[in-house]
Amino acid sequence: MKLQTIYILAGAVMLTAFAACKKDLIKNNTNPNAVTVDKFDANNFLTATQLYYTGSTDNAIEVEETEIQGAGAMIQHWASTSGYFFGDKYVGAPTSGGWGSFFDHTYDSTIKNAVVLYTITQGNPIYKNLHQIARIMKAMAFERITDVYGDVPYFDAGQGFNKKIYFPKYDKQKDIYADLLKEVEQATDSLDENADKPTGDLYYRYADDQIASWKRFGNSLLLRMAMRLTKVDPNTAKAYVTKVAGKTMQSNADNAITPHGTNDPLTINRIYRGIGEDGDMQLSGQISKTFIDFLKDNADPRLPVLSYVYPDGFTPGDDPAGGSSNPDDQNGLPNGYDAGNTAHGILSYQGPPPFLGDLNLYSRPSPIIFNPTAPTLILTYAESEFLLADAAARWGIGNAEDHYNNGVLAAMTQYAVFGDSGVVNDGDAGQYLADNPYDPSDGLNMINTQYWACTFFDEYEAWANYRRTGFPALIPVTFTGSQSPGAIPRRMYYSSVDKQVNTTNYNAAAAGMPGGDKITSRMWWDVQ
């Protein structure tokens, strides 16, 4: 109910402000460039940026295509026999829309709003904290897009209106990350408890201490960014981990969460918008056997929260009641199979268990977490504890076992935000931890496999952390026509649209990428 209140208030404030702004412009016949903060509240751009970070309003097409059908299948959270799920079998020409869909839509939505928010709050004392939050949000959005593609437009991106830069150059990921770390560190340190409390904030507006919550968020994000560098620049990573120790999220109460509403393209849950409202896609995507087997083999109490076998004859739009969340009924679909009866056809799959005879018998995301109003977990306490555990296991910064224990318990219980059906009680969470105690001899594997489990539905992050660590030890698929045969892709192809309209800068970026614009090419932080 609290989340619904946040959504309703935020949505109402945003829409009212936009309407009022439009009326003023029409009435006064003024140039839009001359609109001042007394006529328009910059807080609304924060609301928009946070909502767009979960996906665009273009039917969340990039969430459907690039995140779920692409990264989610590559990381073996999702599986499908459908050709739409190109990440399941690493197929699809470079010009296929899914590879570049995230690039095309993020620059036009999240990045655009984040840059506008950053620009209009800069140097304005009434927006002192809002500007620092804008810096953090902007950095988080750019971290995701550079993690997907490598070198991308950064310093000139989103500057079409402000600086008339319509064809931005692609910046080196090394330079992007240096600036991201600088921006988040400075912004977090500059947050002021005595300054403004942003009203457009969907994450922490109703927290007991909004600015303190943002400081913990900023430091947790800084930790995540720094840990990306473990392979390429461990000294910088260690320095930032040391800096943020004790300043990151302290409990699930600190989790950054975006609430969602129903049917409105701006407020609806984006994964549901992209997959659940597209009947073909909802029926085409199942949970991967790799993920379901992990949950079942470890008697994971999250299994009935995350997975569900829909009732016989279910069609999209129907009430899913009557299906099963019973752990014994859950089966994951193996990755790397099409719908045929060939060597790679699901009809010939021998298991164990062999093909069940009907794709509808395989698990799909549970209605608990997969519905129009389900919130989106943006950055969590569990993630930050696993990252601290990783740093402790690698470099002895802190106690790896303590952070692992904190992460496991938090990951078990974080789904309470989805309502009573999402609650995993403390006893079950404690038993899971007792059954899966930390083993220093296998520490990095255990820590990062748990990270993979707790980032289900945050597929970009799960994929990035896998490329950083090599865990969990996934078995790549082999499939005729694969663009990355026998190896999980390391990046996405660039946008074919930008290749056509920003050709010179695209060509320079492709030439500078080791191996070229291929999904087997490794980006700067993903060194071997």
Side-chain angles (χ1 to χ4, degrees), residues 8-86:
I8 292 169
L9 288 173
V13 168
M14 187 174 187
L15 294 175
T16 300
F18 271 117
C21 181
K22 185 176 180 181
K23 287 180 180 178
D24 285 345
L25 292 175
I26 294 173
K27 179 179 178 180
N28 299 321
N29 194 27
T30 57
N31 187 323
N33 296 345
V35 177
T36 55
V37 292
D38 62 320
K39 297 177 181 177
F40 186 81
D41 187 350
N43 277 280
N44 296 300
F45 276 106
L46 176 59
T47 306
T49 301
Q50 290 175 336
L51 285 167
Y52 278 123
Y53 183 77
T54 68
S56 72
T57 54
D58 184 14
N59 295 317
I61 190 66
E62 82 287 3
V63 176
E64 173 189 319
E65 293 183 338
T66 315
E67 182 168 18
I68 303 302
Q69 296 172 12
M74 291 175 189
I75 203 64
Q76 296 180 20
H77 280 159
W78 292 74
S80 179
T81 60
S82 167
Y84 288 116
F85 281 72
F86 61 93

Coordinates of all heavy atoms in Angstrom, one line a residue, residues 8-86:
I8 N 1.0 6.8 -6.8 CA -0.1 7.7 -7.1 C 0.3 9.1 -7.0 O 0.0 10.0 -7.8 CB -1.3 7.3 -6.3 CG1 -1.9 5.9 -6.6 CG2 -2.4 8.4 -6.4 CD1 -2.9 5.4 -5.7
L9 N 1.0 9.4 -5.8 CA 1.4 10.8 -5.6 C 2.4 11.3 -6.6 O 2.2 12.4 -7.2 CB 2.0 10.9 -4.2 CG 1.0 10.8 -3.0 CD1 1.7 10.8 -1.7 CD2 0.0 12.0 -3.0
A10 N 3.4 10.4 -6.9 CA 4.4 10.8 -7.9 C 3.8 11.0 -9.2 O 4.1 12.0 -9.9 CB 5.5 9.8 -7.9
G11 N 2.9 10.1 -9.6 CA 2.3 10.2 -10.9 C 1.4 11.4 -11.0 O 1.5 12.2 -12.1
A12 N 0.7 11.7 -10.0 CA -0.2 12.9 -10.0 C 0.6 14.2 -10.1 O 0.3 15.1 -10.8 CB -1.1 12.9 -8.8
V13 N 1.7 14.2 -9.3 CA 2.5 15.4 -9.3 C 3.1 15.7 -10.6 O 3.1 16.8 -11.2 CB 3.6 15.3 -8.2 CG1 4.7 16.4 -8.4 CG2 3.0 15.4 -6.8
M14 N 3.6 14.6 -11.2 CA 4.3 14.7 -12.5 C 3.3 15.1 -13.6 O 3.6 16.1 -14.4 CB 4.9 13.3 -12.9 CG 5.8 13.4 -14.1 SD 6.6 11.8 -14.3 CE 7.6 12.3 -15.7
L15 N 2.2 14.5 -13.7 CA 1.3 14.8 -14.8 C 0.7 16.2 -14.6 O 0.5 16.9 -15.6 CB 0.1 13.7 -14.8 CG 0.6 12.3 -15.2 CD1 -0.5 11.3 -15.1 CD2 1.2 12.3 -16.6
T16 N 0.4 16.5 -13.3 CA -0.1 17.9 -13.1 C 0.9 18.9 -13.5 O 0.5 19.9 -14.1 CB -0.5 18.0 -11.6 OG1 -1.5 17.0 -11.3 CG2 -1.0 19.4 -11.3
A17 N 2.1 18.7 -13.1 CA 3.2 19.7 -13.4 C 3.3 19.8 -14.9 O 3.5 20.9 -15.5 CB 4.5 19.3 -12.8
F18 N 3.3 18.7 -15.6 CA 3.5 18.8 -17.1 C 2.3 19.5 -17.7 O 2.5 20.3 -18.6 CB 3.5 17.4 -17.7 CG 4.9 16.8 -17.8 CD1 5.3 15.7 -17.1 CD2 5.9 17.4 -18.6 CE1 6.5 15.2 -17.1 CE2 7.2 16.9 -18.6 CZ 7.5 15.8 -17.9
A19 N 1.1 19.3 -17.2 CA -0.1 19.9 -17.7 C 0.0 21.4 -17.5 O -0.3 22.3 -18.3 CB -1.4 19.3 -17.1
A20 N 0.4 21.8 -16.2 CA 0.5 23.2 -15.9 C 1.5 23.9 -16.7 O 1.3 25.0 -17.2 CB 0.8 23.3 -14.4
C21 N 2.6 23.2 -16.9 CA 3.7 23.8 -17.7 C 3.2 24.1 -19.1 O 3.5 25.1 -19.7 CB 4.9 22.9 -17.7 SG 6.3 23.5 -18.6
K22 N 2.5 23.1 -19.7 CA 2.0 23.3 -21.0 C 1.0 24.4 -21.1 O 1.1 25.2 -22.1 CB 1.4 22.0 -21.5 CG 0.9 22.0 -22.9 CD 0.4 20.6 -23.3 CE -0.1 20.6 -24.8 NZ -0.6 19.3 -25.2
K23 N 0.1 24.5 -20.2 CA -0.8 25.6 -20.2 C -0.1 27.0 -20.1 O -0.5 27.9 -20.8 CB -1.8 25.5 -19.0 CG -2.8 24.4 -19.1 CD -3.7 24.3 -17.9 CE -4.7 23.2 -18.0 NZ -5.6 23.2 -16.8
D24 N 0.9 27.1 -19.2 CA 1.6 28.3 -19.1 C 2.3 28.7 -20.4 O 2.3 29.9 -20.8 CB 2.7 28.3 -18.0 CG 2.0 28.3 -16.6 OD1 0.9 28.7 -16.5 OD2 2.7 28.0 -15.7
L25 N 2.9 27.7 -21.1 CA 3.6 28.0 -22.4 C 2.6 28.5 -23.4 O 2.9 29.5 -24.2 CB 4.3 26.8 -22.8 CG 5.5 26.3 -22.0 CD1 6.0 25.0 -22.5 CD2 6.5 27.4 -22.0
I26 N 1.4 27.8 -23.5 CA 0.4 28.3 -24.5 C -0.1 29.6 -24.2 O -0.2 30.5 -25.0 CB -0.7 27.2 -24.5 CG1 -0.2 25.9 -25.0 CG2 -1.9 27.7 -25.4 CD1 -1.2 24.8 -25.0
K27 N -0.4 29.8 -22.9 CA -1.0 31.1 -22.5 C -0.1 32.3 -22.7 O -0.5 33.3 -23.2 CB -1.4 31.0 -21.0 CG -2.0 32.3 -20.4 CD -2.3 32.1 -19.0 CE -2.9 33.4 -18.4 NZ -3.2 33.2 -16.9
N28 N 1.2 32.1 -22.4 CA 2.1 33.2 -22.5 C 2.9 33.3 -23.8 O 3.6 34.2 -24.0 CB 3.2 33.1 -21.3 CG 2.5 33.2 -20.0 OD1 1.6 33.9 -19.8 ND2 3.0 32.3 -19.0
N29 N 2.7 32.2 -24.6 CA 3.4 32.2 -25.9 C 4.9 32.4 -25.8 O 5.5 33.2 -26.5 CB 2.8 33.2 -26.9 CG 3.2 33.0 -28.3 OD1 3.5 31.8 -28.7 ND2 3.3 34.0 -29.1
T30 N 5.4 31.7 -24.7 CA 6.9 31.9 -24.5 C 7.7 30.8 -25.1 O 7.2 29.8 -25.4 CB 7.1 31.9 -22.9 OG1 6.6 30.7 -22.4 CG2 6.5 33.1 -22.3
N31 N 9.0 31.1 -25.3 CA 9.9 30.1 -25.8 C 10.1 29.0 -24.7 O 10.4 29.4 -23.6 CB 11.2 30.8 -26.1 CG 12.2 29.9 -26.8 OD1 12.3 28.7 -26.5 ND2 13.0 30.5 -27.7
P32 N 10.1 27.7 -25.1 CA 10.3 26.7 -24.1 C 11.6 26.8 -23.4 O 11.8 26.5 -22.2 CB 10.2 25.4 -24.9 CG 9.4 25.7 -26.1 CD 9.7 27.2 -26.4
N33 N 12.6 27.4 -24.1 CA 13.9 27.6 -23.5 C 13.9 28.6 -22.3 O 14.8 28.6 -21.5 CB 14.9 28.1 -24.5 CG 15.2 27.2 -25.7 OD1 14.8 26.0 -25.6 ND2 15.7 27.7 -26.8
A34 N 12.9 29.4 -22.3 CA 12.8 30.4 -21.2 C 12.0 30.0 -20.0 O 11.9 30.7 -19.1 CB 12.1 31.7 -21.8
V35 N 11.5 28.7 -20.0 CA 10.7 28.2 -18.8 C 11.7 28.2 -17.6 O 12.7 27.6 -17.7 CB 10.2 26.8 -19.1 CG1 9.4 26.3 -17.9 CG2 9.2 26.9 -20.3
T36 N 11.2 28.8 -16.5 CA 12.0 28.8 -15.3 C 11.4 27.9 -14.2 O 10.3 27.5 -14.3 CB 12.1 30.3 -14.8 OG1 10.8 30.8 -14.6 CG2 12.8 31.2 -15.8
V37 N 12.2 27.7 -13.2 CA 11.8 26.8 -12.1 C 10.5 27.2 -11.4 O 9.9 26.4 -10.7 CB 12.9 26.5 -11.1 CG1 14.0 25.8 -11.8 CG2 13.4 27.8 -10.5
D38 N 10.2 28.5 -11.4 CA 9.0 28.9 -10.8 C 7.8 28.4 -11.6 O 6.6 28.4 -11.1 CB 8.9 30.4 -10.6 CG 9.0 31.2 -11.9 OD1 9.7 30.7 -12.8 OD2 8.3 32.2 -12.0
K39 N 8.0 28.0 -12.8 CA 6.8 27.5 -13.6 C 6.9 26.0 -13.8 O 5.9 25.4 -14.2 CB 6.9 28.2 -15.0 CG 6.7 29.7 -15.0 CD 6.8 30.2 -16.4 CE 6.6 31.8 -16.3 NZ 6.7 32.4 -17.7
F40 N 8.1 25.4 -13.5 CA 8.2 24.0 -13.7 C 9.2 23.4 -12.6 O 10.3 23.9 -12.4 CB 8.8 23.6 -15.1 CG 8.8 22.2 -15.4 CD1 7.6 21.5 -15.8 CD2 10.0 21.4 -15.2 CE1 7.7 20.2 -16.0 CE2 10.0 20.1 -15.5 CZ 8.8 19.4 -15.9
D41 N 8.7 22.4 -12.0 CA 9.5 21.8 -10.9 C 10.4 20.7 -11.4 O 10.0 19.7 -12.0 CB 8.6 21.2 -9.8 CG 9.3 20.7 -8.6 OD1 10.5 20.6 -8.6 OD2 8.6 20.4 -7.6
A42 N 11.7 20.9 -11.3 CA 12.7 19.9 -11.8 C 12.5 18.5 -11.2 O 13.0 17.5 -11.7 CB 14.1 20.4 -11.6
N43 N 11.9 18.4 -10.0 CA 11.7 17.1 -9.4 C 11.0 16.1 -10.3 O 11.1 14.9 -10.2 CB 10.8 17.3 -8.1 CG 11.7 17.7 -6.9 OD1 12.4 16.9 -6.3 ND2 11.7 19.0 -6.6
N44 N 10.2 16.7 -11.2 CA 9.4 15.8 -12.1 C 10.4 15.0 -13.1 O 10.1 13.9 -13.5 CB 8.4 16.5 -12.9 CG 7.3 17.1 -12.0 OD1 6.6 16.4 -11.3 ND2 7.2 18.4 -12.0
F45 N 11.5 15.6 -13.4 CA 12.5 14.9 -14.2 C 13.1 13.8 -13.4 O 13.5 12.8 -14.0 CB 13.5 15.9 -14.7 CG 13.1 16.6 -16.0 CD1 12.8 17.9 -15.9 CD2 13.0 15.9 -17.2 CE1 12.4 18.6 -17.1 CE2 12.6 16.6 -18.3 CZ 12.3 17.9 -18.3
L46 N 13.2 13.9 -12.1 CA 13.7 12.8 -11.3 C 12.8 11.6 -11.3 O 13.2 10.5 -11.5 CB 14.0 13.2 -9.8 CG 14.4 12.1 -8.9 CD1 15.7 11.5 -9.4 CD2 14.6 12.7 -7.5
T47 N 11.5 11.9 -11.2 CA 10.5 10.9 -11.2 C 10.6 10.1 -12.6 O 10.6 8.9 -12.7 CB 9.1 11.4 -11.1 OG1 9.0 12.2 -9.9 CG2 8.0 10.3 -11.0
A48 N 10.6 10.9 -13.7 CA 10.7 10.4 -15.0 C 11.9 9.5 -15.2 O 11.9 8.4 -15.7 CB 10.6 11.5 -16.0
T49 N 13.1 10.0 -14.7 CA 14.3 9.3 -14.9 C 14.3 7.9 -14.2 O 14.7 6.9 -14.7 CB 15.5 10.1 -14.3 OG1 15.6 11.4 -15.1 CG2 16.8 9.4 -14.5
Q50 N 13.8 8.0 -12.9 CA 13.7 6.7 -12.2 C 12.7 5.7 -12.8 O 13.0 4.5 -12.8 CB 13.3 7.0 -10.7 CG 14.4 7.8 -10.0 CD 13.9 8.2 -8.6 OE1 12.8 8.3 -8.3 NE2 14.9 8.3 -7.7
L51 N 11.6 6.2 -13.4 CA 10.7 5.3 -14.0 C 11.3 4.8 -15.3 O 11.2 3.6 -15.7 CB 9.4 6.0 -14.3 CG 8.5 6.2 -13.1 CD1 7.3 7.2 -13.4 CD2 7.9 4.8 -12.7
Y52 N 11.9 5.6 -16.1 CA 12.5 5.2 -17.4 C 13.7 4.3 -17.2 O 14.0 3.5 -18.1 CB 12.9 6.5 -18.2 CG 11.8 7.1 -19.0 CD1 11.5 8.5 -18.8 CD2 11.1 6.4 -19.9 CE1 10.5 9.1 -19.5 CE2 10.1 7.0 -20.6 CZ 9.8 8.3 -20.4 OH 8.8 8.9 -21.2
Y53 N 14.4 4.4 -16.1 CA 15.5 3.5 -15.8 C 15.0 2.0 -15.8 O 15.8 1.1 -16.2 CB 16.1 3.8 -14.5 CG 17.3 2.9 -14.2 CD1 18.6 3.2 -14.8 CD2 17.3 1.9 -13.3 CE1 19.7 2.4 -14.5 CE2 18.4 1.1 -13.0 CZ 19.6 1.3 -13.7 OH 20.7 0.5 -13.4
T54 N 13.7 1.8 -15.5 CA 13.2 0.4 -15.5 C 12.8 0.0 -16.9 O 12.4 -1.1 -17.1 CB 12.0 0.3 -14.5 OG1 10.9 1.0 -15.0 CG2 12.4 0.7 -13.2
G55 N 12.7 1.0 -17.9 CA 12.3 0.6 -19.2 C 11.6 1.8 -19.9 O 11.0 2.6 -19.2
S56 N 11.5 1.8 -21.2 CA 10.9 2.9 -21.9 C 9.4 2.7 -21.9 O 8.8 1.7 -21.6 CB 11.4 2.9 -23.4 OG 10.9 1.8 -24.1
T57 N 8.7 3.8 -22.4 CA 7.2 3.7 -22.6 C 6.8 3.2 -23.9 O 5.7 3.1 -24.2 CB 6.6 5.1 -22.3 OG1 7.2 6.0 -23.2 CG2 6.8 5.5 -20.9
D58 N 7.8 2.8 -24.7 CA 7.6 2.2 -26.1 C 7.3 0.7 -25.9 O 8.0 -0.1 -26.4 CB 8.7 2.4 -27.0 CG 8.5 1.9 -28.4 OD1 7.3 1.6 -28.7 OD2 9.4 1.8 -29.2
N59 N 6.2 0.4 -25.1 CA 5.9 -1.0 -24.8 C 7.1 -1.7 -24.1 O 7.1 -3.0 -24.1 CB 5.5 -1.8 -26.0 CG 4.2 -1.2 -26.6 OD1 3.2 -0.9 -25.9 ND2 4.1 -1.1 -27.9
A60 N 8.0 -1.0 -23.5 CA 9.1 -1.6 -22.9 C 9.8 -2.5 -23.8 O 10.3 -3.6 -23.4 CB 8.7 -2.2 -21.5
I61 N 9.9 -2.1 -25.1 CA 10.4 -3.1 -26.1 C 11.8 -3.5 -25.8 O 12.2 -4.6 -26.1 CB 10.2 -2.5 -27.5 CG1 10.5 -3.5 -28.6 CG2 11.1 -1.2 -27.7 CD1 9.5 -4.6 -28.6
E62 N 12.7 -2.6 -25.3 CA 14.1 -2.9 -25.1 C 14.2 -3.9 -23.9 O 15.1 -4.6 -23.8 CB 14.9 -1.7 -24.9 CG 14.9 -1.0 -23.6 CD 13.6 -0.3 -23.2 OE1 12.7 -0.3 -24.0 OE2 13.5 0.3 -22.1
V63 N 13.2 -3.8 -22.9 CA 13.3 -4.7 -21.8 C 12.9 -6.1 -22.3 O 13.6 -7.1 -22.0 CB 12.3 -4.3 -20.7 CG1 12.2 -5.3 -19.6 CG2 12.6 -2.9 -20.1
E64 N 11.9 -6.2 -23.1 CA 11.5 -7.5 -23.7 C 12.6 -8.1 -24.6 O 13.0 -9.2 -24.4 CB 10.3 -7.3 -24.6 CG 9.9 -8.5 -25.5 CD 8.8 -8.2 -26.5 OE1 7.8 -7.5 -26.2 OE2 8.9 -8.7 -27.6
E65 N 13.2 -7.2 -25.4 CA 14.2 -7.7 -26.4 C 15.6 -7.9 -25.8 O 16.1 -9.0 -25.7 CB 14.2 -6.8 -27.6 CG 12.9 -6.8 -28.4 CD 13.0 -6.0 -29.7 OE1 13.8 -5.0 -29.7 OE2 12.2 -6.2 -30.6
T66 N 16.2 -6.8 -25.4 CA 17.6 -6.8 -25.0 C 17.8 -7.4 -23.7 O 18.7 -8.2 -23.5 CB 18.2 -5.4 -25.1 OG1 17.8 -4.7 -26.3 CG2 19.7 -5.5 -25.0
E67 N 16.9 -7.1 -22.7 CA 17.2 -7.6 -21.3 C 16.7 -9.0 -21.2 O 17.5 -9.9 -20.7 CB 16.5 -6.7 -20.3 CG 16.8 -7.2 -18.9 CD 16.4 -6.2 -17.8 OE1 15.6 -5.3 -18.1 OE2 16.9 -6.3 -16.7
I68 N 15.5 -9.3 -21.5 CA 14.9 -10.7 -21.2 C 15.3 -11.7 -22.3 O 15.9 -12.7 -22.0 CB 13.4 -10.6 -21.0 CG1 13.0 -9.6 -19.9 CG2 12.9 -12.0 -20.7 CD1 13.6 -9.9 -18.6
Q69 N 15.0 -11.3 -23.5 CA 15.3 -12.3 -24.6 C 16.8 -12.4 -24.9 O 17.3 -13.4 -25.4 CB 14.6 -11.8 -25.9 CG 13.1 -11.9 -25.8 CD 12.4 -11.2 -27.0 OE1 13.1 -11.0 -28.1 NE2 11.1 -11.0 -27.0
G70 N 17.6 -11.3 -24.5 CA 19.0 -11.3 -24.7 C 19.8 -11.7 -23.4 O 20.1 -12.8 -23.2
A71 N 20.0 -10.7 -22.5 CA 20.9 -10.9 -21.4 C 20.3 -12.0 -20.4 O 21.0 -12.8 -19.9 CB 21.1 -9.6 -20.6
G72 N 19.0 -12.0 -20.2 CA 18.3 -12.9 -19.3 C 18.5 -14.4 -19.8 O 18.7 -15.3 -18.9
A73 N 18.5 -14.6 -21.1 CA 18.7 -15.9 -21.6 C 20.1 -16.3 -21.6 O 20.5 -17.4 -21.3 CB 18.1 -16.0 -23.0
M74 N 21.0 -15.3 -21.9 CA 22.4 -15.6 -21.9 C 22.9 -16.1 -20.5 O 23.7 -17.0 -20.3 CB 23.2 -14.4 -22.3 CG 23.1 -13.9 -23.7 SD 24.0 -12.4 -23.9 CE 23.5 -11.9 -25.6
I75 N 22.3 -15.4 -19.5 CA 22.8 -15.7 -18.1 C 22.0 -16.9 -17.5 O 22.2 -17.3 -16.4 CB 22.6 -14.4 -17.3 CG1 23.5 -14.4 -16.0 CG2 21.1 -14.2 -16.8 CD1 24.9 -14.4 -16.3
Q76 N 21.1 -17.5 -18.3 CA 20.4 -18.7 -18.0 C 19.5 -18.5 -16.8 O 19.3 -19.4 -16.0 CB 21.3 -19.9 -17.8 CG 22.1 -20.2 -19.1 CD 23.0 -21.4 -19.1 OE1 23.0 -22.2 -18.2 NE2 24.0 -21.4 -20.0
H77 N 18.9 -17.3 -16.8 CA 17.7 -17.1 -15.9 C 16.4 -17.5 -16.7 O 15.5 -18.0 -16.2 CB 17.6 -15.7 -15.5 CG 18.4 -15.3 -14.3 ND1 18.8 -14.0 -14.0 CD2 19.0 -16.1 -13.4 CE1 19.6 -14.0 -12.9 NE2 19.7 -15.3 -12.5
W78 N 16.5 -17.2 -18.0 CA 15.4 -17.5 -18.9 C 15.8 -18.5 -20.0 O 17.0 -18.6 -20.3 CB 14.9 -16.2 -19.6 CG 14.3 -15.2 -18.7 CD1 14.9 -14.4 -17.8 CD2 12.9 -14.8 -18.6 NE1 14.0 -13.5 -17.2 CE2 12.7 -13.8 -17.7 CE3 11.7 -15.3 -19.3 CZ2 11.5 -13.2 -17.4 CZ3 10.5 -14.7 -19.0 CH2 10.4 -13.7 -18.0
A79 N 14.8 -19.1 -20.6 CA 15.0 -20.0 -21.7 C 13.8 -20.0 -22.6 O 12.7 -19.7 -22.2 CB 15.3 -21.4 -21.2
S80 N 14.0 -20.4 -23.9 CA 12.9 -20.4 -24.8 C 13.3 -21.2 -26.1 O 14.5 -21.3 -26.5 CB 12.5 -19.0 -25.2 OG 11.5 -19.0 -26.2
T81 N 12.3 -21.8 -26.6 CA 12.5 -22.5 -28.0 C 12.2 -21.5 -29.1 O 12.4 -21.8 -30.3 CB 11.6 -23.7 -28.1 OG1 10.2 -23.3 -28.0 CG2 11.9 -24.7 -27.0
S82 N 11.7 -20.3 -28.7 CA 11.4 -19.3 -29.7 C 12.6 -18.6 -30.3 O 13.5 -18.3 -29.5 CB 10.4 -18.3 -29.1 OG 10.3 -17.2 -30.0
G83 N 12.6 -18.3 -31.6 CA 13.7 -17.6 -32.2 C 13.8 -16.1 -31.7 O 14.8 -15.5 -31.9
Y84 N 12.7 -15.6 -31.1 CA 12.8 -14.3 -30.5 C 13.8 -14.2 -29.4 O 14.5 -13.1 -29.3 CB 11.4 -13.8 -29.9 CG 10.4 -13.6 -31.0 CD1 9.2 -14.4 -31.0 CD2 10.5 -12.5 -31.9 CE1 8.2 -14.1 -32.0 CE2 9.5 -12.3 -32.8 CZ 8.4 -13.1 -32.8 OH 7.4 -12.8 -33.8
F85 N 14.0 -15.2 -28.7 CA 15.0 -15.2 -27.6 C 16.4 -15.5 -28.1 O 16.9 -16.6 -27.9 CB 14.5 -16.2 -26.5 CG 13.4 -15.8 -25.6 CD1 12.1 -15.7 -26.1 CD2 13.7 -15.4 -24.3 CE1 11.1 -15.2 -25.3 CE2 12.6 -15.0 -23.5 CZ 11.3 -14.9 -24.0
F86 N 17.0 -14.5 -28.7 CA 18.2 -14.6 -29.4 C 19.4 -15.0 -28.4 O 20.3 -15.6 -28.7 CB 18.6 -13.4 -30.2 CG 18.7 -12.1 -29.4 CD1 20.0 -11.7 -28.9 CD2 17.6 -11.3 -29.1 CE1 20.1 -10.6 -28.1 CE2 17.7 -10.2 -28.4 CZ 19.0 -9.8 -27.9

